[in-house]
Amino acid sequence: MRLHLLLLLALCGTGTTAAALSYSLRGNWSICNGNGSLELPGAVPGCVHSALFQQGLIQDSYYRFNDLNYRWISLDNWTYSKEFKIPFEISKWQKVNLILEGVDTISKILFNEVTIGETDNMFNRYEQCSFSWDWGPSFPTQGIWKDVRIEAYNICHLNDFTFSPIYDKSAQAWNLEIEATFDVVSSKPVGGQVIVAIPKLQTQQMYNLELQPGKRIVELFLNISKNITVETWWPHGHGNQTGYNMTILFELDGGLNIEKSAKVYFRTVELIEEPIKGSPGLSFYFKINGFPVFLKGSNWIPADSFQDRVTSELLRLLLQSVVDANMNTLRVWGGGIYEQDEFYELCDELGIMVWQDFMFACALYPTDQGFLDSVRAEVAYQIKRLKSHPSIIIWSGNNENEEALMMNWYHISITDRPIYIKDYVTLYVKNIRELVLAGDKSRPFITSSPTNGAETVAEGWVSRNPNSNYFGDVHFYDYISDCWNWKVFPRARFASEYGYQSWPSFSTLEKVSSTEDWSFSSKFSLHRQHHEGGNKQMLYQAGLHFKLPESTDPLRTFKDTIYLTQVMQAQCVKTETEFYRRGRSEIVDQQGHTMGALYWQLNDIWQAPSWASLEYGGKWKMLHYFAQNFFAPLLPVGFENENTFYIYGVSDLHSDYSMTLTVRVHTWSSLEPVCSCVTEHLVMKGGEAVRLYEEPVSELLRRCGNCTRESCVVSFYLSADHELLSPTNYHFLSSLKEALGLCKAQITAIISQQGDIFVFDLETSAVAPFVWLDVGSIPGRFSDNGFLMTEKTRTILFYPWEPTSKSELEQSFHVTSLTDIY
């Protein structure tokens, strides 16, 4: 790709005393293909695909098979050109820079027909998953995907400004390390003073400085009095996300004033790796502000193949859905992109902790000097850009490259392995780790994910088994074993990837497909599935516990199959996540103390089957509604072991609570419980998982009259003074394809409006598992969905994301339960 900028005229004018001028080159550019046969206008920031679409030259790139049809776009060379006039006299300025914040990816930059630069790294200031993954299409985009501008300045210019809050344990006081990078173009030293102020902390400090010509770094150390109360930043569900406005003013010689402002958050993070009684190995958990926090959440991938489509509104919608589902963490996965500033600002605001991978994934990378220089520039830039964000709690060198090397994914001969290990250590330890330790002392670093953490270090930076249950984090996938059997899951210290696939809703697929595509075995369905064997795996897993759809109507069968894959995914991830959550406080067979559960994956990059809980555009799958419950701060978890039924109480709270546990049993054939029991008052310890209840299944069935495993279902919840403290959870005593007494439920809804919220008053004629409320393409979410309805009536709220009406909801509303396909 070529960037061709033509300067037509520098307008003369009077002298200026401004510190700097910036002239944006955003907006309309001209785009031309390699042989000049196609020329069109295009927006910057943007990409070639978006420009072609906006001019009506191609369809939506996500429609049907267009990821194949439009491969020619990425195989061609493209030139971006712009003719412009600079509205100031260049000769009046000592330095004039052309700034390109992001170029995708290999390009040559010409200014007035003179080559002034080249780019070869999308993640540096001037996409890995652009070439497809098992959840996404191949759209290697080309274009100027971030801001482009001309900057002019005299005397000196503030290039970068970053800071890190540091807590001094010995002094029991907060300090702020501030770093400012200047380009001093004056031929003489530039003197002056700096004033840093945080008004709400009654803090102001002045420093003298002298800047020598050239690139200069100013380091400031701000002390905050220990007598001032500093409110810390907490993850969602653990406290407030308090921040303080800070200003920094540089008053320099020649009347040059440079002022910056920023939001400062104070928090500490520690990665605790220490011995655990009764278990070999080491713990792996995080303390935030000294408090152990169980990380609950998912893995983030780019929200779109085309970054110019990722709006502020979309980012806020997706991240708000994270906290609405009681999550507190996202892992920014190493095969995507370093997200834009607004992503991290929203995570700061919402209390979402970020596990930040560097952008290296599932590959063996070179270590020639040219590549290392590019990587070092990338890493240094990203550390400087991101380290001020309290939401980022850890840096990770890569995704799965330690495991790929040591488990020999790429069939390296034994004799060659030492060479590859040496290259691995060179890249991730001697370069990336070195830069992190030098540039950011406020958060931990691990070389990979999964990794054994301290054990990996002890073994020379690569472990024999990077997926060990006794150290670090694990990635776990198993599509063959029965996901209802919790014994197949690893009792790991931390589960940073796990999951199951499902298809997105029909209303999402309908926009990018045609009638002949609406079959699970259609060419479209096979093409859209990028995970080998994925469609068969979904049906196999669903078939273990549910009857597969057998309608004579092909469209009905397709819709029912989509629904069933979402039921299967939600139930599988629920079972696995609850297993991890109830294992936080116990050691079983020398394993346990699990302190993190991040399922794969949060969001979709297009409309296709994947592991995501949010569909492309943000619609909640059934899994996301389940996550709202299985990530609740207080949760009862039921499971069986050796024919005994147990209920554990799981608490992420900071305090102990007194409560009772209610256990009810329903038959599938009746809306009235056949038995119910309430425990004595229990004290649920804050930050622990403890056993609250156990009873042999045979005794439970006998106590409840005529119950059998096939005819009954158990539900349970925690409450205090008749107030519900937890979601109502449930436990199936048999596969639902073996359920006896389950009959087709007639479910009706009366919709009313209360302000901006809509109320759905539901009534059912029978017990209904996995009740799914759907309003098609109307953007919004329900207060609950995919639920087990064991009572005759239930009220559910709908929160629209855009203005809508009662009549629109009534026309689009459809309800499905498992009884509709049985």
Side-chain angles (χ1 to χ4, degrees), residues 283-300:
S283 66
F284 190 90
Y285 69 93
F286 292 85
K287 280 186 177 181
I288 306 298
N289 302 323
F291 184 82
V293 174
F294 189 103
L295 272 58
K296 308 180 294 187
S298 190
N299 285 258
W300 172 273

Side-chain angles (χ1 to χ4, degrees), residues 182 190-194 207-211 218 220 250-252:
F182 284 90
V190 178
Q193 61 184 19
V194 190
Y207 312 80
N208 294 320
L209 78 162
E210 184 175 80
L211 301 172
V218 174
L220 307 174
F250 296 89
E251 295 179 335
L252 304 176

Side-chain angles (χ1 to χ4, degrees), residues 573-589:
V573 178
K574 171 185 185 292
T575 305
E576 186 166 358
T577 305
E578 290 182 346
F579 169 75
Y580 295 137
R581 289 200 68 193
R582 65 178 167 86
R584 67 175 291 167
S585 302
E586 67 179 5
I587 295 294
V588 178
D589 297 329

Side-chain angles (χ1 to χ4, degrees), residues 48-68:
V48 175
H49 286 80
S50 296
L52 291 167
F53 177 70
Q54 288 158 6
Q55 294 301 310
L57 298 174
I58 63 172
Q59 297 174 303
D60 180 354
S61 296
Y62 291 155
Y63 182 72
R64 300 197 76 209
F65 305 96
N66 282 343
D67 55 322
L68 300 180

Side-chain angles (χ1 to χ4, degrees), residues 482-551:
D482 182 357
C483 77
W484 286 26
N485 176 13
W486 55 266
K487 294 182 179 181
V488 306
F489 306 130
R491 285 193 182 275
R493 307 299 194 208
F494 194 111
S496 53
E497 275 194 33
Y498 60 96
Y500 296 84
Q501 279 198 324
S502 73
W503 275 78
S505 61
F506 181 75
S507 62
T508 296
L509 289 171
E510 191 176 18
K511 301 169 186 174
V512 293
S513 60
S514 61
T515 308
E516 62 265 37
D517 301 328
W518 298 340
S519 162
F520 208 64
S521 58
S522 69
K523 290 182 179 179
F524 172 82
S525 294
L526 294 174
H527 171 69
R528 221 65 174 185
Q529 173 59 270
H530 285 195
H531 171 59
E532 185 178 2
N535 289 347
K536 291 182 179 178
Q537 289 169 356
M538 281 187 271
L539 293 182
Y540 170 78
Q541 194 65 237
L544 292 177
H545 296 286
F546 306 103
K547 298 175 183 176
L548 299 182
E550 296 179 345
S551 173

